[in-house]
Amino acid sequence: AKQDGRNTYCFFESEMDALMKARRELELDLRSAIEKGQMQLAYQPVINSETLEIAGFEALLRWHHPQRGWVPPSEFIPVAEASGQICDIGAWVLRQACQEARNWPDHLWVAVNVSPVQFKHRDLIQDLNTALLDASMSANRLELEITEGVLLHNTESTLATLESIHSLGVSISMDDFGTGYSSLSYLRMFKFDKIKIDQSFISDLHQTQDARAMIGAITSMCENLGIKTTAEGVETRAQQDILIQQKCSLLQGYLFGRPVLSSELDVYRFAKQQQ
Ligand code: C2E
Ligand code: CA
Ligand code: CA
Ligand code: CA
């Protein structure tokens, strides 16, 4: 039995080695991914729940690796955050999203995800200014999506940065709302323009009365606070109907459209489709 234990341990150790090695390789490949043109943005439409027209798009990062193929963000973003590479990548995403969105019809906004690491270690205001100026895009068409990781260290400087973003005219939304520990207290701390109700709430909608009551409570609270609500991960017509009934302002999910690479994105058609 003792022998077995040792073997198991050795096996585990070599598995760990393999994992670490794969991670290091990913990190190495990430370094040149942008300059080699392997990174692209995909855009997913967000729908106005009253008019059912497209209101804007969320930019989602896509990495096509020459050997591995498409690497999902859930795999490479944590690596990029741990190594600090997310700062350069994030700045690129901002620039790229503005460059692409400048060609869309004026009423469509673009939302960009910002990592807590990028928020903390990078001069976000400078990156924002550069991206907006270079694209000569109006700031009110840009929105940043942050998660509660940004607010975890509730420092003066965090709040100051959020205020500066607002004074540029850029909107801020709280992503993955409801999954953290103290989501409600964050709403008191800072005036968000929008909250995105996490998709775990949406997938439960048709099964439980509780989920429905929860969404209703969130949307009416936000309405009173002057905050818009987006439901993420809307996949069925039944979910759409409940969300409209519960007065959720914006809807996003496969039901309306999957994220599409910018090369395949025809926003004019998208915009017209709803008329
Ligand atoms: P997120 O910001 O919560 O983005 C929503 C995720 O849900 C996206 O996955 C999207 O493709 C997926 N999704 C959209 N509609 C549906 C639906 O109806 N059903 C289901 N099951 N899924 C849906 P994706 O693109 O794989 O991104 C995963 C996460 O990676 C994002 O979660 C975000 O946290 C991160 N991420 C993606 N792009 C960036 C980026 O440019 N910067 C940073 N910092 N993080 C990013
Ligand atoms: Ca997001
Ligand atoms: Ca989300
Ligand atoms: Ca998420």
Side-chain angles (χ1 to χ4, degrees):
K2 207 170 182 185
Q3 189 66 41
D4 275 346
R6 193 175 299 160
N7 282 342
T8 311
Y9 176 70
C10 287
F11 174 70
F12 180 67
E13 198 172 45
S14 64
E15 285 249 289
M16 286 292 280
D17 277 352
L19 268 174
M20 300 269 276
K21 190 161 168 273
R23 210 184 155 94
R24 266 199 307 273
E25 279 172 3
L26 205 66
E27 193 185 309
L28 220 64
D29 291 347
L30 260 178
R31 262 180 222 172
S32 55
I34 288 178
E35 52 191 79
K36 287 184 177 156
Q38 296 165 358
M39 293 281 185
Q40 275 180 276
L41 293 181
Y43 295 94
Q44 186 179 32
V46 179
I47 309 295
N48 177 322
S49 72
E50 279 177 16
T51 62
L52 293 184
E53 278 174 16
I54 293 178
F57 288 86
E58 178 180 15
L60 293 156
L61 192 53
R62 295 291 178 260
W63 181 19
H64 192 265
H65 188 281
Q67 279 89 43
R68 299 169 202 246
W70 295 103
V71 186
S74 56
E75 244 171 71
F76 71 84
I77 300 254
V79 175
E81 286 180 328
S83 65
Q85 289 163 307
I86 194 68
C87 292
D88 289 338
I89 294 173
W92 178 84
V93 171
L94 265 177
R95 272 203 313 276
Q96 187 73 6
C98 291
Q99 289 294 339
E100 289 175 330
R102 67 178 290 189
N103 301 316
W104 304 349
D106 265 356
H107 65 283
L108 298 172
W109 43 257
V110 63
V112 171
N113 292 284
V114 174
S115 156
V117 177
Q118 181 188 356
F119 196 93
K120 191 164 178 226
H121 294 289
R122 180 98 188 176
D123 189 347
L124 201 57
I125 304 304
Q126 192 182 320
D127 287 346
L128 277 171
N129 270 321
T130 311
L132 288 167
L133 273 173
D134 285 358
S136 52
M137 193 180 85
S138 140
N140 60 20
R141 289 185 54 210
L142 180 64
E143 180 176 305
L144 300 187
E145 297 192 2
I146 63 167
T147 52
E148 69 164 39
V150 165
L151 299 166
L152 223 56
H153 310 283
N154 167 19
T155 58
E156 289 290 317
S157 82
T158 306
L159 290 178
T161 306
L162 290 171
E163 295 290 355
S164 310
I165 295 169
H166 258 176
S167 48
L168 283 179
V170 174
S171 305
I172 305 174
S173 72
M174 161 112 278
D175 204 353
D176 300 344
F177 185 81
T179 56
Y181 291 105
S182 39
S183 302
L184 278 184
S185 69
Y186 297 135
L187 293 190
R188 268 206 334 208
M189 233 165 77
F190 185 74
K191 183 70 197 285
F192 290 95
D193 301 280
K194 203 178 275 178
I195 65 153
K196 301 191 76 172
I197 305 168
D198 191 68
Q199 46 190 69
S200 55
F201 288 92
I202 313 305
S203 53
D204 284 352
L205 261 187
H206 54 289
Q207 281 142 3
T208 73
Q209 196 60 44
D210 289 358
R212 194 180 298 210
M214 205 106 84
I215 300 278
I218 295 174
T219 57
S220 61
M221 173 186 70
C222 285
E223 199 188 340
N224 287 323
L225 294 170
I227 302 172
K228 287 194 173 160
T229 45
T230 307
E232 296 188 309
V234 184
E235 292 180 350
T236 68
R237 184 58 202 261
Q239 291 166 350
Q240 173 190 324
D241 292 343
I242 297 170
L243 288 161
I244 291 177
Q245 191 190 17
Q246 299 297 333
K247 302 209 165 58
C248 194
S249 359
L250 296 154
L251 310 172
Q252 180 181 9
Y254 295 164
L255 180 65
F256 308 101
R258 289 182 179 253
V260 181
L261 289 178
S262 52
S263 50
E264 296 152 25
L265 181 72
D266 183 350
V267 278
Y268 290 93
R269 185 182 58 77
F270 260 128
K272 261 195 303 200
Q273 187 181 292
Q274 306 295 330
Q275 289 169 7

